[in-house]
Amino acid sequence: MVTRSEFRIEPSAELLAATRTWLGQVRPALGPEFVAAYLTGSVLMDGFDARKSRINVLVVSRTLTGAILHAIARALPPGSKSGPHFDPLFLTRSNVEKSLDSFPIEWLDIQERHLLLEGDDVVAGLKVTQNYLRLQCEHELRGKFIQLRQAYLQHHNRPAELERTLATAASGFAALFRTLLRLRGETVPATSAQVVERVSDVFGLEPEALIGAHVTRYGGRKQSAAEVSALYVQFLDTLDRLITAIDTLRVP
């Protein structure tokens, strides 16, 4: 059974077949405790490259006792140099339901972009509380802001390191920015660049500044040392303003 979601793209037939083969080797280890298996993450997004990225598989079980974990460990196929490379996450149904307040952003992302491979779709019915989303979003943005500021103090005269730091942060910010749009009742655009532009518009920020991390990672143009430093500082200043806006954001 395959479910459809307006937020995802369909994986290639080759990737889907490889995933089903992988699942066919692992599923017997769970026996009757198996609940569901999903594809999640970047494999369901535009631009996925199996040569560079891992395939995220979520497997939900009723229990994960020591005996079952041992069986899973023995059943997991060995990694292949030629790929595809799988990154499985095994959780019990209770783990899922009791972590909605701890990881609301992650669960909402999975809920909006998942593909059920087999079993009962427990993800579709999850209820994620808006206030938990706001709190996690503010917490993570503040943490990333502090880390980026500390990195600037440490590497201000090493533009290559600043560029690497900003590029590494890009994917994490994209997920948080999507959450901000959901909190405002906005329709989330399809691409990360469009998400950043919409966040800038909604919160009254300069899009060129906020899109800095995204451009550094995906822009494809080599930037000078002066450009990297200026972009980094501009991004920090704009991120600080965004965090202040989130702190006063009221959600239902």
Side-chain angles (χ1 to χ4, degrees), residues 76-142:
L76 284 172
S80 170
K81 290 185 178 180
S82 60
H85 305 287
F86 291 93
D87 189 8
L89 173 62
F90 293 88
L91 296 173
T92 67
R93 187 162 187 169
S94 177
N95 291 155
V96 173
E97 294 168 348
K98 293 184 181 299
S99 64
L100 296 178
D101 58 346
S102 302
F103 307 110
I105 293 175
E106 290 79 1
W107 282 119
L108 190 58
D109 262 357
I110 290 173
Q111 190 174 50
E112 292 187 344
R113 188 181 292 108
H114 68 272
L115 188 151
L116 178 64
L117 297 166
E118 187 177 344
D120 301 324
D121 194 354
V122 298
V123 167
L126 297 178
K127 303 295 183 184
V128 178
T129 302
Q130 291 284 85
N131 195 47
Y132 290 150
L133 282 174
R134 192 202 69 78
L135 288 172
Q136 187 189 3
C137 197
E138 181 181 349
H139 173 82
E140 295 202 13
L141 280 174
R142 286 189 185 279

Side-chain angles (χ1 to χ4, degrees), residues 26-36 60-64 68 119-120:
V26 174
R27 189 194 186 290
L30 282 81
E33 298 301 292
F34 175 84
V35 175
V60 182
S61 179
R62 290 180 181 83
T63 62
L64 286 171
I68 293 176
D120 301 324

Side-chain angles (χ1 to χ4, degrees), residues 9-242:
I9 65 166
E10 297 298 316
S12 68
E14 292 78 12
L15 278 178
L16 193 55
T19 304
R20 292 193 180 281
T21 298
W22 180 92
L23 182 60
Q25 294 177 272
V26 174
R27 189 194 186 290
L30 282 81
E33 298 301 292
F34 175 84
V35 175
Y38 305 84
L39 274 176
T40 67
S42 60
V43 69
L44 303 178
M45 299 174 68
D46 191 28
F48 176 79
D49 187 344
R51 296 169 299 178
K52 299 179 180 179
S53 302
R54 292 182 175 272
I55 300 172
N56 298 114
V57 184
L58 169 63
V59 181
V60 182
S61 179
R62 290 180 181 83
T63 62
L64 286 171
T65 63
I68 293 176
L69 288 176
H70 181 68
I72 293 172
R74 288 171 58 87
L76 284 172
S80 170
K81 290 185 178 180
S82 60
H85 305 287
F86 291 93
D87 189 8
L89 173 62
F90 293 88
L91 296 173
T92 67
R93 187 162 187 169
S94 177
N95 291 155
V96 173
E97 294 168 348
K98 293 184 181 299
S99 64
L100 296 178
D101 58 346
S102 302
F103 307 110
I105 293 175
E106 290 79 1
W107 282 119
L108 190 58
D109 262 357
I110 290 173
Q111 190 174 50
E112 292 187 344
R113 188 181 292 108
H114 68 272
L115 188 151
L116 178 64
L117 297 166
E118 187 177 344
D120 301 324
D121 194 354
V122 298
V123 167
L126 297 178
K127 303 295 183 184
V128 178
T129 302
Q130 291 284 85
N131 195 47
Y132 290 150
L133 282 174
R134 192 202 69 78
L135 288 172
Q136 187 189 3
C137 197
E138 181 181 349
H139 173 82
E140 295 202 13
L141 280 174
R142 286 189 185 279
K144 290 179 182 296
F145 172 77
I146 291 171
Q147 290 174 351
L148 286 172
R149 187 168 58 188
Q150 291 298 109
Y152 181 81
L153 294 174
Q154 183 178 0
H155 305 299
H156 70 279
N157 59 347
R158 297 163 60 191
E161 186 63 26
L162 289 180
E163 188 172 30
R164 185 197 66 78
T165 300
L166 203 56
T168 300
S171 59
F173 279 113
L176 294 172
F177 291 164
R178 288 196 298 271
T179 300
L180 290 179
L181 293 180
R182 295 181 188 116
L183 287 172
R184 289 291 300 264
E186 295 273 332
T187 299
V188 180
T191 69
S192 295
Q194 291 171 328
V195 167
V196 174
E197 290 174 359
R198 186 56 188 157
V199 166
S200 300
D201 185 45
V202 168
F203 289 93
L205 305 169
E206 296 79 11
E208 296 80 10
L210 201 59
I211 206 169
H214 180 83
V215 169
T216 302
R217 180 165 184 169
Y218 302 106
R221 182 179 70 85
K222 184 65 177 177
Q223 301 178 88
S224 68
E227 285 177 320
V228 170
S229 182
L231 186 64
Y232 198 106
V233 172
Q234 189 180 29
F235 181 78
L236 278 178
D237 289 343
T238 307
L239 189 59
D240 194 20
R241 290 172 54 198
L242 178 60

